[in-house]
């Protein structure tokens, strides 16, 4: 790991905090994640044939995600080598590149639109806004369910969209960051438990679970720290107790932490593409009638968690500077 990795990541987090993903930029250029999605979509159409056996689909899916991740690692290594030759300018350009793959501000903005939609246009406005960030059928959601869905998405994507890419960049630089984003994009597109993707996307889903194991738990810890100090012990106990109630081995950690921090019951039964996921509530004793105000409180907690993470990273930059000189 280069001595500048933590510093570049710190700069990237600050850039992403205040700039995010400006619409004017991505209306003119293709976002890298969109390009990743196009590659995954092509591979799915080319190799995920319904006439194949389940085993053949699984083998093909493993080869495809392996190839795409190797290509991402090679691309990241080439970018790193080119930027290294540019000195200080390369450092700035790499920080901007890393910021592009983080989602602090855009996540907050999208979740905030759910609260705004509810306040401005009632349930219809909330359903429309939440349909942009969750996979469940919005027409089956009443107002509290819309609010819970938005808060759950905020917590889960704090891990997938911010902490995990930052974590893998901190360990492996641009190769690690690009490989993670390719894997996470693949999981979101083909890592579903339905007839079309169950076998072909199994490798992507399992590898994504592995890649998010540590980041999800770090995110949960940051959310616990972001709550008020008198509740730290309760929130920690709730997270440790309820994280396993989620069907995902990772999403339950930040979601149960957020449930405790907001004093809400999150999770519970929901419908995905007509299938009922009858799951228990995390922090079951919490309020189940979430409101637009609870979404806004959750966003405040989210930003506190991101700030704590950024401060901890700044501390690592300082320690690294003192050690290296």
């Amino acid at each position: 790991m280069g001595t500048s990795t933590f510093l570049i990541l710190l700069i990237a987090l600050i850039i992403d905090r205040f700039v995010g993903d400006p619409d004017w930029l991505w209306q003119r250029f293709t976002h890298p994640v969109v390009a990743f999605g196009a590659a995954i979509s092509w591979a799915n159409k080319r190799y995920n044939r319904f006439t194949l056996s389940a085993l053949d689909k699984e083998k093909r899916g493993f080869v495809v995600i392996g190839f795409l991740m190797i290509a991402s690692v090679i691309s990241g290594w080439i970018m790193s080598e080119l930027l290294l030759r540019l000195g200080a300018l390369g450092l700035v350009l790499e920080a901007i590149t890393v910021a592009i793959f983080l989602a602090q501000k855009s996540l907050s903005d999208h979740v905030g639109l759910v609260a705004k939609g509810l306040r401005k246009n009632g349930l219809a406005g909330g359903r429309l806004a939440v349909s942009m960030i969750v996979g469940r059928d919005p027409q089956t959601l009443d107002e509290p369910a819309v609010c819970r869905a938005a808060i759950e998405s905020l917590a889960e994507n704090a891990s997938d969209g911010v902490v995990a890419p930052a974590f893998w960049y901190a360990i492996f630089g641009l190769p690690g960051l690009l490989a993670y984003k390719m894997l996470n994009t693949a999981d979101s597109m083909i890592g579903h438990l339905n007839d079309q993707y169950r076998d072909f996307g199994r490798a992507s889903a399992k590898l994504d679970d592995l890649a998010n194991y540590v980041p999800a738990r770090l995110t949960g810890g940051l959310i616990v720290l972001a709550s008020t100090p008198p509740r730290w012990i309760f929130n920690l106990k709730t997270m440790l107790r309820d994280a396993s109630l989620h069907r995902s081995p990772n999403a339950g950690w930040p979601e149960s932490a957020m449930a405790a921090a907001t004093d809400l019951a999150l999770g519970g039964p929901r419908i995905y593409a007509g299938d009922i996921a009858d799951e228990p509530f995390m922090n079951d004793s919490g309020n189940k009638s979430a409101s637009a105000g609870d979404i806004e409180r959750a966003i405040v907690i989210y930003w506190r968690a991101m700030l704590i993470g950024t401060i901890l990273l700044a501390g690592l930059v300082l320690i690294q500077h003192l050690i290296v000189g």
Side-chain angles (χ1 to χ4, degrees):
M1 182 188 304
T3 57
S4 62
T5 303
F6 288 162
L7 177 59
I8 291 172
L9 179 56
L10 179 62
I11 296 170
L13 285 166
I14 294 171
I15 292 172
D16 182 57
R17 167 63 180 89
F18 294 102
V19 179
D21 288 323
D23 291 336
W24 62 265
L25 179 62
W26 302 120
Q27 287 172 357
R28 292 169 173 80
F29 301 96
T30 300
H31 195 288
V33 172
V34 175
F36 288 177
I40 295 162
S41 179
W42 176 86
N44 177 63
K45 291 177 181 178
R46 179 71 175 79
Y47 297 108
N48 186 16
R49 305 290 179 82
F50 72 92
T51 54
L52 295 170
S53 68
L55 181 59
D56 284 339
K57 287 182 181 180
E58 189 171 343
K59 288 179 179 178
R60 287 189 173 202
F62 179 82
V63 172
V64 163
I65 191 58
F67 176 82
L68 290 174
M69 289 182 68
I70 290 171
S72 300
V73 168
I74 293 172
S75 298
W77 179 79
I78 292 172
M79 290 174 63
S80 295
E81 290 300 307
L82 292 174
L83 291 171
L84 188 62
R85 300 173 189 272
L86 298 178
L89 175 60
L91 186 149
V92 173
L93 292 175
E94 183 163 338
I96 293 172
T97 301
V98 175
I100 288 171
F101 288 98
L102 301 175
Q104 282 182 111
K105 187 175 184 298
S106 61
L107 174 58
S108 174
D109 290 346
H110 281 92
V111 174
L113 288 175
V114 180
K116 292 178 181 177
L118 286 167
R119 293 190 186 282
K120 185 176 181 180
N121 297 310
L123 180 57
R127 282 174 170 172
L128 178 62
V130 85
S131 70
M132 305 297 178
I133 59 174
V134 300
R136 66 197 73 173
D137 182 358
Q139 298 307 313
T140 65
L141 305 177
D142 57 15
E143 184 168 332
V146 166
C147 295
R148 292 198 303 270
I151 295 169
E152 290 161 16
S153 179
L154 176 68
E156 179 180 4
N157 284 291
S159 175
D160 290 0
V162 184
V163 176
F167 175 82
W168 288 109
Y169 174 78
I171 295 177
F172 295 118
L174 285 178
L177 173 61
L178 267 59
Y180 171 76
K181 291 302 293 186
M182 177 63 80
L183 175 61
N184 190 244
T185 305
D187 178 61
S188 67
M189 293 179 64
I190 62 174
H192 304 296
L193 293 175
N194 55 34
D195 292 340
Q196 183 178 3
Y197 298 121
R198 179 180 291 106
D199 301 308
F200 186 73
R202 179 171 284 114
S204 297
K206 295 298 183 183
L207 287 173
D208 186 72
D209 286 344
L210 183 62
N212 281 291
Y213 185 89
V214 173
R217 287 149 181 81
L218 289 175
T219 307
L222 290 174
I223 292 172
V224 168
L225 291 175
S227 57
T228 53
R231 290 182 60 89
W232 280 351
I233 300 301
F234 171 80
N235 293 352
L236 177 61
K237 288 181 177 179
T238 300
M239 179 180 71
L240 295 174
R241 182 193 69 209
D242 291 353
S244 61
L245 297 178
H246 201 287
R247 62 176 177 171
S248 163
N250 296 317
W253 291 84
E255 288 188 27
S256 60
M258 185 64 80
T262 54
D263 196 25
L264 294 170
L266 298 180
R270 75 284 301 271
I271 298 176
Y272 294 95
D275 296 326
I276 299 176
D278 190 12
E279 298 178 10
F281 282 98
M282 294 170 284
N283 190 35
D284 186 63
S285 62
N287 181 18
K288 293 183 177 67
S289 298
S291 65
D294 290 313
I295 296 176
E296 292 160 349
R297 285 197 305 118
I299 291 174
V300 170
I301 293 169
Y302 161 77
W303 276 120
R304 286 180 191 161
M306 296 301 99
L307 178 61
I308 292 169
T310 303
I311 291 172
L312 291 174
L313 178 61
L316 289 177
V317 172
L318 179 60
I319 292 171
Q320 191 177 51
H321 175 74
L322 293 173
I323 292 174
V324 176

